[in-house]
Amino acid sequence: MHERQKHLLRLLIEEVIETGEPVGSRYLVDEFSLDMSPATVRNWFVDLEEAGYLAQPHTSAGRVPTEKGYRYYVDELMPEPSLKTLELKAMRRVMRAANDLSRAWRDLARITADMTEDAVIVAANDDDIYTTGFSNLLARPEFQDRERLMALGQALDHLEEIFARLREQSADEPRALIGRDCPFGESCSIFVTALPDGTIFSILGPMRMDYRRALALLRRTRNLTEPEQ
């Protein structure tokens, strides 16, 4: 994939993350003032579709990313994540106000769910699991589909087993499990990190979740126990 195709793919993925809608060639050209024609973009769409990074919903002329497309975005295309100053201050206030780390992680989970409009799951150990923000997740259009909703519900019935596995796989640096790798169903993605005290902190969203924002929040959450934060 050449650099201009990478740029095009990044723009398309970030637009789908933002809107939840398929993106067409003319929209990309007009919205981002691309120095190429819609016909050229359509040709590149075909190339990216044949390579497995994009798909074309049968009801639309636009494209959406595939699981492979989102994985490539996270691994290769995603800009360096950052948070707003007000968000950083809010997270620090939570840490200062909490009486202990367990309370701090739960309070951070609630404001993280508000910031991302996703669900957050915190596991101090495999049978001490706190969830918040699932109303955010269920409001997403992806979960109006009955089969996807059932897959999510079945996963929630087995949280202890899921987080026992995630604990074995987790590392300091947050890791994204996308689509078929996500234990909550193929329509989901989960970003997971192990905190310094061993707690597993995760953000669960649809596959079009805002990966950049999730990574920024998880990294900051890990760093909040370091000196001078």
Side-chain angles (χ1 to χ4, degrees):
M1 189 186 310
H2 57 70
E3 291 302 315
R4 298 187 78 188
Q5 282 182 325
K6 290 180 182 179
H7 179 63
L8 184 74
L9 181 59
R10 181 178 69 81
L11 292 178
L12 182 145
I13 290 174
E14 291 176 351
E15 194 66 22
V16 172
I17 287 172
E18 177 68 23
T19 67
E21 299 293 334
V23 175
S25 56
R26 181 167 295 282
Y27 175 86
L28 278 183
V29 170
D30 293 344
E31 180 70 12
F32 298 101
S33 301
L34 300 180
D35 59 344
M36 61 189 76
S37 69
T40 298
V41 172
R42 283 194 296 274
N43 289 336
W44 287 357
F45 277 179
V46 172
D47 293 342
L48 292 168
E49 191 172 349
E50 289 177 350
Y53 296 103
L54 296 180
Q56 183 177 21
H58 67 279
T59 57
S60 169
R63 264 58 169 198
V64 296
T66 61
E67 177 184 320
K68 181 179 178 180
Y70 283 117
R71 170 53 62 190
Y72 188 76
Y73 173 76
V74 171
D75 292 343
E76 303 291 342
L77 304 178
M78 189 167 67
E80 185 64 23
S82 62
L83 295 175
K84 298 175 182 177
T85 301
L86 288 177
E87 293 169 336
L88 295 172
K89 288 181 177 178
M91 297 176 79
R92 290 170 182 151
R93 279 197 301 271
V94 165
M95 287 299 294
R96 288 195 296 267
N99 295 325
D100 56 56
L101 276 181
S102 177
R103 170 52 58 187
W105 300 146
R106 290 183 179 218
D107 291 345
L108 279 170
R110 285 194 291 271
I111 68 169
T112 298
D114 290 341
M115 290 177 182
T116 61
E117 298 183 352
D118 289 323
V120 178
I121 309 173
V122 180
N125 53 60
D126 296 336
D127 59 2
D128 181 10
I129 300 176
Y130 175 75
T131 67
T132 186
F134 272 89
S135 59
N136 297 332
L137 202 60
L138 297 180
R140 298 292 189 100
E142 288 87 346
F143 297 99
Q144 306 309 304
D145 179 274
R146 184 172 180 273
E147 290 187 4
R148 292 177 177 179
L149 191 59
M150 287 181 63
L152 179 62
Q154 289 168 358
L156 291 175
D157 287 338
H158 298 87
L159 275 183
E160 292 85 357
E161 297 97 317
I162 288 172
F163 273 83
R165 294 195 301 271
L166 290 177
R167 186 176 299 280
E168 294 174 356
Q169 302 167 6
S170 294
D172 294 348
E173 178 64 14
R175 187 166 68 100
L177 302 176
I178 299 171
R180 285 170 294 179
D181 290 336
C182 179
F184 290 87
E186 294 184 6
S187 60
C188 297
S189 292
I190 189 168
F191 234 130
V192 184
T193 193
L195 300 178
D197 67 343
T199 295
I200 304 300
F201 199 102
S202 63
I203 300 172
L204 173 66
M207 194 157 58
R208 65 175 182 93
M209 72 184 296
D210 190 338
Y211 296 95
R212 185 184 183 192
R213 187 164 179 75
L215 178 57
L217 286 163
L218 290 180
R219 282 180 175 171
R220 177 51 56 182
T221 298
R222 275 195 52 80
N223 292 340
L224 282 171
T225 54
E226 296 182 357
E228 300 181 2
Q229 291 295 321

